[in-house]
Amino acid sequence: MERRGNMMDYRPDIKVVDATIRDGGLVNNFFFEDQFVKELYEANIKAGVDYMEFGYKASKDLFKREEFGDWKFCDEEDIRRIVGDNDSNLKIAVMADVGRTDFEKDIIPKSESVIDLIRVATYIHQMPAALEMIEYCHKMGYETSCNIMAVSTARESDIDQALELLGKSSVDVIYLVDSYGSLYPEQIRELTHKYQTVADKYGKQIGIHAHNNQQLAFANTIESCTYGASYLDGTMSGMGRGAGNCMMEMLMGFLKNPKYRIIPVLRFVEKQITKLKDEGVVWGYDVPYLCTGILNVHPRSAIAASKENNRNYADFYIGLWDKE
């Protein structure tokens, strides 16, 4: 496997993606105050972040509007309330889940939108529907990515087929997603090589979105970067579902491109993230997340255990094992 860079230089192809509102919104049902979102937007601009993911394009037929904040739906007027016409170098992204997005109704032409990138999220068995969404968004003028979720549970032959289909599609970026936080750097290295081989063949780029169940989100992100990933996801202080994600402040401390600046990130964390934690918003590593990561299962049971402050860790692990 070929390394693509080292710790003393930087690659101009690297793009940093802030997913704080989207992945972090899974912690608080997307009820962020406008001031939080506005200050995050401004901090990302100052820090040199390339993309800011505002949230989901979720179907209002499937999700009740009153039960979620604005960023579950990312209506055009709500994004523009924060960014105006986005007169900056920061690009705007949203995520569209296969089966949970009325994409032909809610995704308007790029010429009418401040959004730049549509990130299509799919499980591997939904690939035909994902390809339909990708082609639609591409024709509407957007950059597109495909985030194949829970890849740690997929058969290798299915991954190979999915990557070939995506290589032949109009997608710009193919994402390696460790949804359950179960993968180790050696596995990430091998998967990155697999993804990168297809990307090189078809002229695509690849990205990495890591979860922190085993406290490896940062390690896995920089390992994938070393072997070819260009799009690197992070969130402020790792804010995200369950154990959270790769910490943006750690990523900014690692990258050597002088365009990236850590101080605006640290200022945002000290002002806004600490406030959320003081208000009782909870995310981050805990033993139940470690257990689900080790066993490569969805963290929903660990999320419930964390909310219940269940510290019977051994029994929790045994219960997971019995289910397996």
Side-chain angles (χ1 to χ4, degrees), residues 164-176:
E164 276 295 314
L165 288 170
L166 287 169
K168 295 173 182 176
S169 77
S170 299
V171 78
D172 298 296
V173 187
I174 306 170
Y175 258 87
L176 167 54

Side-chain angles (χ1 to χ4, degrees), residues 201 209 260 271:
K201 177 181 176 182
H209 180 87
Y260 297 125
K271 181 178 180 181

Side-chain angles (χ1 to χ4, degrees), residues 162-214:
L163 292 176
E164 276 295 314
L165 288 170
L166 287 169
K168 295 173 182 176
S169 77
S170 299
V171 78
D172 298 296
V173 187
I174 306 170
Y175 258 87
L176 167 54
V177 183
D178 183 16
S179 300
Y180 299 165
S182 65
L183 296 173
Y184 297 97
E186 184 176 357
Q187 295 169 296
I188 288 288
R189 187 186 318 146
E190 292 172 354
L191 282 167
T192 299
H193 177 68
K194 180 188 289 291
Y195 279 53
Q196 191 65 57
T197 299
V198 173
D200 288 344
K201 177 181 176 182
Y202 290 104
K204 311 295 185 183
Q205 292 180 299
I206 69 170
I208 174 71
H209 180 87
H211 280 258
N212 206 36
N213 298 60
Q214 300 188 83

